[in-house]
Amino acid sequence: DADVTQTPRNRITKTGKRIMLECSQTKGHDRMYWYRQDPGLGLRLIYYSFDVKDINKGEISDGYSVSRQAQAKFSLSLESAIPNQTALYFCATSDSRPFRTGELFFGEGSRLTVL
Amino acid sequence: AQTVTQSQPEMSVQEAETVTLSCTYDTSESDYYLFWYKQPPSRQMILVIRQEAYKQQNATENRFSVNFQKAAKSFSLKISDSQLGDAAMYFCAYRRNSNYQLIWGAGTKLIIKP
């Protein structure tokens, strides 16, 4: 089983609909992230969470919200989806303990299409 | 602000040959990490190799090695004996030691010719 699991893997929705992307991890990491990937733009950080009570906006948080339900679960919501939110979304985790390099471990991505 | 630049949107190489992907970054920090990630068509991001800035020795992982030039702020990835399974997008990323956020390059698409 994957260490970082995202659901759904693919989703097509309509403008104005509320969408939730879910992420769970079994790595025991304290830090979790949501990224968006668009062609030619690399990965851009939407939100990140250093623990259950510490949630921070990334560079492109407008139009998104998150919830850290537990150390292992971090969900991303689009309250009212719009077509330019069509993208590939990644959840990632990292370990903040001393002597860790802080590399990210990724889920398999959730491809969202907003019509 | 830190930036990461990958100047090659696409590279191609003959199977079994060697290819080098370029990455430059801009920072005023002295203590940081650099990473290369691979994204195959399956789309999952996979760590290829990491380099700690305080280490002078270039990191190596099997057929993958880096040429880390700290003064020049350059971090290139060399893939030796290219295989069809190496075909993917490759992303360079930078992380300050004091901050766990990664700064990403735009990626290089690597094509392997059989």
Side-chain angles (χ1 to χ4, degrees):
Chain A
D1 290 339
D3 294 322
V4 183
T5 302
Q6 292 183 231
T7 56
R9 292 290 312 279
N10 299 283
R11 179 74 181 268
I12 299 173
T13 191
K14 295 182 179 180
T15 297
K17 295 292 188 180
R18 184 177 187 273
I19 294 295
M20 179 180 286
L21 307 179
E22 298 184 327
C23 178
S24 63
Q25 52 118 345
T26 58
K27 299 192 72 66
H29 289 172
D30 53 337
R31 298 184 174 192
M32 298 186 74
Y33 309 78
W34 275 105
Y35 281 92
R36 168 178 172 157
Q37 185 180 31
D38 297 278
L41 292 178
L43 278 77
R44 293 184 291 169
L45 184 62
I46 305 172
Y47 271 94
Y48 61 102
S49 172
F50 284 175
D51 65 39
V52 175
K53 296 182 180 179
D54 184 1
I55 294 177
N56 305 277
K57 293 182 177 180
E59 58 182 302
I60 55 163
S61 60
D62 287 348
Y64 302 94
S65 62
V66 292
S67 173
R68 185 86 183 262
Q69 300 95 326
Q71 186 186 33
K73 295 183 181 296
F74 192 38
S75 59
L76 175 72
S77 294
L78 288 67
E79 296 300 327
S80 179
I82 56 177
N84 75 1
Q85 292 178 312
T86 294
L88 182 58
Y89 291 86
F90 283 102
C91 175
T93 71
S94 70
D95 187 346
S96 70
R97 287 178 294 171
F99 309 112
R100 297 297 192 271
T101 57
E103 68 204 58
L104 298 182
F105 294 84
F106 285 85
E108 294 180 312
S110 296
R111 185 170 297 282
L112 176 65
T113 302
V114 183
L115 302 176
Chain B
Q2 291 84 12
T3 59
V4 176
T5 302
Q6 293 179 249
S7 59
Q8 306 152 316
E10 185 173 299
M11 292 281 286
S12 63
V13 63
Q14 207 71 34
E15 189 177 7
E17 294 188 348
T18 296
V19 64
T20 298
L21 308 184
S22 300
C23 174
T24 59
Y25 57 95
D26 184 25
T27 185
S28 59
E29 305 283 331
S30 60
D31 191 9
Y32 50 87
Y33 291 90
L34 296 163
F35 305 90
W36 278 99
Y37 279 85
K38 169 185 177 180
Q39 186 179 33
S42 66
R43 81 193 191 195
Q44 186 167 16
M45 300 287 284
I46 303 165
L47 180 68
V48 175
I49 201 165
R50 75 173 71 85
Q51 175 79 43
E52 291 91 333
Y54 67 87
K55 290 186 177 179
Q56 294 184 342
Q57 186 174 6
N58 289 325
T60 299
E61 289 286 343
N62 300 313
R63 296 183 295 106
F64 298 86
S65 61
V66 298
N67 183 6
F68 174 48
Q69 302 288 329
K70 191 172 184 179
K73 299 179 182 175
S74 171
F75 182 60
S76 59
L77 174 70
K78 185 173 81 171
I79 306 173
S80 304
D81 185 25
S82 298
Q83 300 175 1
L84 294 177
D86 295 332
M89 285 290 292
Y90 286 82
F91 292 92
C92 178
Y94 162 98
R95 183 182 76 77
R96 281 186 293 169
N97 193 31
S98 59
N99 184 326
Y100 279 80
Q101 298 179 51
L102 267 68
I103 310 298
W104 296 83
T108 296
K109 182 178 181 180
L110 179 63
I111 298 169
I112 310 295
K113 299 177 181 178

